[in-house]
Amino acid sequence: MATIYYDADSDPDLIKGKKVAVIGYGSQGHAHALNLKESGVDVVVGLREGSSSRAEAESAGLTVLTPDAAAEWADTIMMLVPDQVMGVIYSESVEPYLDSGDTLLFAHGFNIHFGEIVPPEDVDVAMIAPKGPGHLVRRTYTEGSGVPCLLAVHQDASGNARALALSYASGIGGGRAGVLETTFKEETETDLFGEQVILCGGISELIKASFETLVEAGYQPESAYFETLHELKLIVDLLYEGGLSWMRYSVSDTAEYGDYTRGSRIITDETRAAMKNALADIQSGAFANEWMAQAREGAPFLYEQRAANRAHQIEDVGRELRKMMPFMEPKTAP
Ligand code: NAD
Ligand code: MG
């Protein structure tokens, strides 16, 4: 079983004794910076000159510096910029200002695990990774609770890396929910596997394939949309609240019988072998090398696929149908 820490295991004063720079003010950055500030931590935000997030951070009462100035001022630096540009930002704006005894923190292990960032040996390196998007990290904190976090220590030069990371986790509210100990390797590899095989890649392909199957068979695209995309939320909410058993208890016996008899004909041995291949590419570093090479060229495949997928029929049908449901506050990707 995993080791789980709570606020009672953590010393909240450790992080209050530090000068913390949060680099980036996106999904995670805004939540970490605001939660730390309200927990009494001395925090600044590091953003590029001309960043569109600057005004937002300043109007929230935060001090904003350039990434260089923030890293120079701080002794504890949390890297919350997109993973594919983090290595460059680190070498240009953070590494030159690292002093012996400083602490580098991450919310995902990618850059450390795959060696894109190799910090000096006299610096502590740890991870506090909330298991939820930034807006939830922020909202739960303001409500007096928090989002569970993963904690990992990559390098413990001072002997205090774990205690400081735990104190940081308490500062963002994670200690109220629980902080699970893991490793950079485990967090990185399982995170990539999850997003590729189920959360993003697997589910998107299942949605498109099932929608296309119904439409090609002559059913109305609107009916296909409701059955293959819209109703997923109902099922995911049940899974989230009580696992597979609660979902199966809540759906009809007919649905449950269809689940047991047909599900394994859809996710076949071939699919399971493909999952193992995806995992092998993650473990060998092949996926990371491929993605970093793409990112260096400006990620052309990503943008091409984004455009092509936005033009899929299911997106047009969904946009119109969601207008019938203003209660769900429909969103459009910018
Ligand atoms: P994001 O894309 O929401 O925000 C990144 C921020 O970085 C931007 O808002 C901007 O302020 C800044 N930025 C972007 N490009 C930059 C550049 N070239 N130079 C300088 N600054 C730049 O990112 P995020 O989702 O908050 O992810 C940050 C880290 O948190 C990543 O390591 C990610 O893996 C991790 N993480 C994210 C989530 C999540 O749900 N979003 C959950 C757990 C961990
Ligand atoms: Mg993740």
Side-chain angles (χ1 to χ4, degrees), residues 216-229:
E216 279 164 26
Y219 297 98
Q220 299 186 84
E222 291 79 4
S223 301
Y225 174 84
F226 277 120
E227 294 303 328
T228 63
L229 191 151

Side-chain angles (χ1 to χ4, degrees), residues 24-28 47-48 53 80-83 85-86 89 107-108 130 132-133:
Y25 199 72
S27 174
Q28 291 292 322
L47 287 175
R48 291 165 295 178
S53 310
L80 295 176
V81 293
D83 296 303
V85 294
M86 195 181 284
I89 293 169
H108 178 34

Side-chain angles (χ1 to χ4, degrees), residues 183-223:
T183 61
F184 273 68
K185 173 180 160 61
E186 181 173 85
E187 186 277 338
T188 305
E189 293 178 353
T190 57
D191 193 74
L192 291 172
F193 181 81
E195 61 204 24
Q196 292 175 20
V197 166
I198 166 115
L199 305 173
C200 306
I203 201 74
S204 301
E205 287 302 316
L206 266 179
I207 290 170
K208 284 192 290 179
S210 53
F211 175 85
E212 288 165 12
T213 301
L214 286 176
V215 172
E216 279 164 26
Y219 297 98
Q220 299 186 84
E222 291 79 4
S223 301

Side-chain angles (χ1 to χ4, degrees), residues 31-170:
H32 289 228
L34 291 171
N35 293 3
L36 289 171
K37 181 177 180 297
E38 286 167 27
S39 293
V41 177
D42 196 6
V43 60
V44 305
V45 175
L47 287 175
R48 291 165 295 178
E49 303 277 3
S51 159
S52 57
S53 310
R54 212 163 232 277
E56 202 188 321
E58 280 170 351
S59 68
L62 290 158
T63 303
V64 181
L65 303 173
T66 61
D68 290 69
E72 187 167 19
W73 169 84
D75 51 32
T76 303
I77 300 162
M78 174 53 111
M79 299 295 292
L80 295 176
V81 293
D83 296 303
Q84 73 273 21
V85 294
M86 195 181 284
V88 172
I89 293 169
Y90 169 81
S91 52
E92 287 176 358
S93 303
V94 174
E95 192 174 25
Y97 309 106
L98 286 176
D99 298 311
S100 181
D102 282 358
T103 299
L104 257 184
L105 293 171
F106 297 85
H108 178 34
F110 191 99
N111 279 275
I112 290 291
H113 179 62
F114 292 117
E116 296 288 320
I117 292 177
V118 183
E121 284 174 9
D122 56 356
V123 162
D124 287 354
V125 181
M127 169 169 45
I128 292 296
K131 286 284 94 184
H135 72 84
L136 197 62
V137 174
R138 179 61 187 148
R139 196 192 81 205
T140 52
Y141 179 89
T142 61
E143 292 168 353
S145 64
V147 169
C149 292
L150 300 181
L151 174 154
V153 174
H154 172 70
Q155 200 165 284
D156 192 4
S158 71
N160 275 324
R162 181 172 287 93
L164 184 67
L166 198 51
S167 186
Y168 182 101
S170 289

Side-chain angles (χ1 to χ4, degrees), residues 120-334:
E121 284 174 9
D122 56 356
V123 162
D124 287 354
V125 181
M127 169 169 45
I128 292 296
K131 286 284 94 184
H135 72 84
L136 197 62
V137 174
R138 179 61 187 148
R139 196 192 81 205
T140 52
Y141 179 89
T142 61
E143 292 168 353
S145 64
V147 169
C149 292
L150 300 181
L151 174 154
V153 174
H154 172 70
Q155 200 165 284
D156 192 4
S158 71
N160 275 324
R162 181 172 287 93
L164 184 67
L166 198 51
S167 186
Y168 182 101
S170 289
I172 63 168
R176 297 165 176 172
V179 183
L180 277 80
E181 177 123 30
T182 182
T183 61
F184 273 68
K185 173 180 160 61
E186 181 173 85
E187 186 277 338
T188 305
E189 293 178 353
T190 57
D191 193 74
L192 291 172
F193 181 81
E195 61 204 24
Q196 292 175 20
V197 166
I198 166 115
L199 305 173
C200 306
I203 201 74
S204 301
E205 287 302 316
L206 266 179
I207 290 170
K208 284 192 290 179
S210 53
F211 175 85
E212 288 165 12
T213 301
L214 286 176
V215 172
E216 279 164 26
Y219 297 98
Q220 299 186 84
E222 291 79 4
S223 301
Y225 174 84
F226 277 120
E227 294 303 328
T228 63
L229 191 151
H230 178 83
E231 286 192 24
L232 253 184
K233 168 150 173 59
L234 179 79
I235 297 300
V236 168
D237 284 349
L238 294 168
L239 293 170
Y240 187 74
E241 289 162 4
L244 291 164
S245 300
W246 177 244
M247 182 275 283
R248 285 166 171 159
Y249 166 78
S250 306
V251 301
S252 68
D253 286 355
T254 308
E256 188 178 2
Y257 179 79
D259 166 349
Y260 298 138
T261 56
R262 285 356 188 230
S264 57
R265 297 189 200 169
I266 305 302
I267 305 300
T268 59
D269 287 346
E270 202 184 330
T271 318
R272 287 171 184 264
M275 288 184 179
K276 289 202 172 99
N277 278 335
L279 182 58
D281 273 0
I282 291 166
Q283 291 170 328
S284 70
F287 172 78
N289 289 338
E290 175 190 320
W291 169 225
M292 287 301 103
Q294 275 281 319
R296 275 191 296 276
E297 288 166 27
F301 187 76
L302 178 82
Y303 293 113
E304 179 193 303
Q305 285 300 308
R306 187 180 289 171
N309 275 271
R310 282 186 182 188
H312 193 285
Q313 185 185 11
I314 197 169
E315 296 293 80
D316 295 329
V317 174
R319 195 177 309 109
E320 291 309 311
L321 290 180
R322 288 190 292 271
K323 288 181 188 162
M324 293 162 54
M325 299 176 278
F327 55 83
M328 67 153 70
E329 300 175 21
K331 309 284 191 293
T332 304

